[in-house]
Every structure is written in C-alpha cells, then in structure tokens.
C-alpha cells in the first residue's frame, strides 16, 4: 500500500510487482464482497467513505493502488477493521498436504498451524464420518454468505470442495473452502473420519439510503 495521495493509478506502469498486483486484487474482491453483503450501492459506499465513485470503481476492478488512508476510510464505511480488506475471505480453496505442514513447539508439546481466518460470528466444530455409497452427484446446498469449511482428514480419503473445484484429500491433509457455494463431500474408500470447523460471519447489514427521486441500490 502507498502513502500520500488518496489513490495512485498505476495503469501505465509495467514494473508493478506481483505481490502488489495480488494485494490489489485481494482488496478488490473484499471491497466488492463486503459492499454487496451489506446491500450497499457503489454510490452509498462513496457517500459513507468520502471517496469518489470513480475511485471506488477502480479499487473494485483492482486497477489502482489504494493508500492506507483509503483503506481506513473504506473500513469505517463498511463497519469493519481495515485489516480485513487485506485478508483472504473465503474466496479460494486452500489445501495443506500432510507433508507440507510445519510443526513447532517445545520439549513436551508441538503444534501444526493449519489455517487462520479473521472475523467474528458463529463457529461450529464436529467430527465427520462418511462411508462408501453416497452418490457423488449429491451436492450440498450453499450456506449463508461468507461461510467457510475447514476440514482436516484423520483417516481415509475423500473428495470435497466446490463443485467446480473439487480436491482429493487423504489422512493428514487439510483444506479450507467456501461453503456459500454448492459443494460436496464424497468418501473415496470404505470410510473416512475428519475434523471439520464451519465458520459463519455475522454481518450487520446497513440499510441503503433512499434519496428523493431515486431508489435503493441505484449506482
């Protein structure tokens, strides 16, 4: 992120680093997602943040480089800490294989970090057992917006994840994937046991402003 002007347009700069491009794309996804979850038009976000609609449009397209001050204004307008705009929030599928994790600890204990997510809301943790026989065509309906499944395989093998991005997991593998899209869990052996945590953010919706002669949600 840059400091100084409210928005720096780097459209003509060819030497933008890969890290900066990924960071801007992450901010773009998050700003649009959080805005839509709050039923907020682009114009309403502009009014609440004090930023122009043109600036916000560029941010959501990932074509510019918002400053720290800009992120703070967006966070306040969206009623959340600005750091959440720089945190991956349920978009990609993340997989950590059993031989990829790193263990840390002391003499009598050790831990393997599987994943970190930020936010508050409803958290459900359970042990999952699946047996062979469930048809792969059976899909699980989407849950509430922002839902994430965090799944660690204890024994067996299974196929899970969004319908268009399935992953095969074995004992010791971990995956985090969005639960707000159609997904499935299929046992690939006789039986699979897994530990699953489901997180559902509790988003306080902000009612759109209705102006004279206009309608809610107008851009």
């Amino acid at each position: 992120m840059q400091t100084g002007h409210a928005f720096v347009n780097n459209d003509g700069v060819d030497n933008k680093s890969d890290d900066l491009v990924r960071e801007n794309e992450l901010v773009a996804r998050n700003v649009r997602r959080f805005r839509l979850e709050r039923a907020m038009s682009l114009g309403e976000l502009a009014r609440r943040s004090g930023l122009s609609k043109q600036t916000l449009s560029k941010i959501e397209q990932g074509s510019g480089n918002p400053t720290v001050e800009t992120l703070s204004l967006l966070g306040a307008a969206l009623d959340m800490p600005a750091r959440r705009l720089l945190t991956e929030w349920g978009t990609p599928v993340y997989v950590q294989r059993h031989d990829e994790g790193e263990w840390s600890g002391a003499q009598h204990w050790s831990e393997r970090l599987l994943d970190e997510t930020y936010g508050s809301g409803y958290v459900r943790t359970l042990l999952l057992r699946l047996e062979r026989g469930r048809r792969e065509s059976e899909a699980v309906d989407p849950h509430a917006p922002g839902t994430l499944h965090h799944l660690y395989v204890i024994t067996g093998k299974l196929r899970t994840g969004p319908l268009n991005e399935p992953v095969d997991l074995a004992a010791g593998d971990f995956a985090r994937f969005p639960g707000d899209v159609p997904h499935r869990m299929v046992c690939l052996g006789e039986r699979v046991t897994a530990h699953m945590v489901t997180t559902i953010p509790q988003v306080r919706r902000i009612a759109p402003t209705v102006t004279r002669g206009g309608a809610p949600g107008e851009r």
Side-chain angles (χ1 to χ4, degrees), residues 157-175:
K157 297 180 179 180
L158 84 159
R159 178 172 294 130
T160 190
L163 300 186
N164 63 344
E165 196 176 355
V167 293
D168 291 353
L169 305 175
D173 291 345
F174 169 81

Side-chain angles (χ1 to χ4, degrees), residues 132-217:
R132 182 191 293 273
R134 183 180 181 184
R135 294 179 301 171
E136 188 167 343
S137 59
E138 293 182 357
V140 180
D141 292 333
H143 305 303
T147 297
L148 290 174
H149 289 311
H150 317 253
L151 190 144
Y152 176 81
V153 181
I154 301 172
T155 60
K157 297 180 179 180
L158 84 159
R159 178 172 294 130
T160 190
L163 300 186
N164 63 344
E165 196 176 355
V167 293
D168 291 353
L169 305 175
D173 291 345
F174 169 81
R176 179 245 300 148
F177 59 91
D180 54 3
V181 296
H183 54 283
R184 63 166 53 100
M185 297 184 187
V186 181
C187 181
L188 299 180
E190 292 301 321
R191 173 178 291 184
V192 62
T193 304
H195 175 254
M196 186 169 73
V197 175
T198 300
T199 56
I200 305 175
Q202 300 298 304
V203 178
R204 182 168 70 84
R205 293 188 175 274
I206 301 174
T209 299
V210 180
T211 58
R212 182 174 299 177

Side-chain angles (χ1 to χ4, degrees), residues 48-70:
R48 291 177 179 272
S49 66
L51 301 170
S52 69
K53 289 179 64 174
Q54 181 181 13
T55 293
L56 293 175
S57 178
K58 289 181 178 179
I59 291 176
E60 290 196 357
Q61 294 170 11
S63 61
N65 186 16
T67 67
V68 174
E69 180 183 2
T70 298

